[in-house]
Amino acid sequence: MRMEDCLFCKIIKGEVPSQKVYEDEEILAFKDIHPAAPIHILVIPKKHIDSLAQMQAEDEEMIGKIYHVINQIAEEQGFKENGYRVIVNCGKDGGQEVMHLHFHLLAGKSLGEKIVG
Ligand code: 5GP
Ligand code: ZN
């Protein structure tokens, strides 16, 4: 898809407002507009990547850093000890609606309904 049409690219550029939680040169985290848990944060690369299926070898380091940022947020917001869940929806069968790679970070309650594990 074209970056000009991408909602999350607009959020990165500040054209669409968001409640930012973390930002550096390659990663942005902001609150989900329809939270599915008391804490629901979206962590995204600033580089437009449609979905996990489109990631390249060159993105490995940045995606590793996303997990590190998730841990930092958990530490800062005080839910690292109680735990959290990270979800990446990919493509049609994965239920992805916004075609810009994003990591859902959910916390703040027992997330109960497990799909795996
Ligand atoms: P997906 O279903 O693609 O994995 O998740 C997309 C997520 O983006 C959903 O949880 C949805 O609530 C969130 N979302 C959609 N539009 C906006 C928006 O304009 N602002 C914010 N902060 N989140 C959004
Ligand atoms: Zn985008």
Side-chain angles (χ1 to χ4, degrees), residues 1 7-8 34 50 89-92 94-100 102 104:
M1 79 170 290
L7 173 63
F8 287 176
H34 293 124
D50 275 6
N89 296 324
C90 180
K92 185 164 60 71
Q96 184 179 2
E97 289 183 12
V98 177
M99 293 306 289
H100 180 126
H102 52 281
H104 294 263

Side-chain angles (χ1 to χ4, degrees), residues 1 3 6-10 12 47-49 99-100:
M1 79 170 290
M3 281 172 65
C6 172
L7 173 63
F8 287 176
C9 282
K10 287 180 184 165
I12 290 161
K47 173 186 175 184
H48 179 90
I49 301 170
M99 293 306 289
H100 180 126

Side-chain angles (χ1 to χ4, degrees), residues 72-84:
Q72 262 178 255
I73 294 169
E75 178 100 55
E76 279 166 20
Q77 299 206 3
F79 59 82
K80 193 171 181 179
E81 201 181 334
N82 278 350
Y84 51 86

Side-chain angles (χ1 to χ4, degrees), residues 36-38 82-85 106-114:
N82 278 350
Y84 51 86
R85 188 173 290 168
L106 300 157
K109 67 167 187 181
S110 174
L111 292 157
E113 330 80 32
K114 294 209 309 186

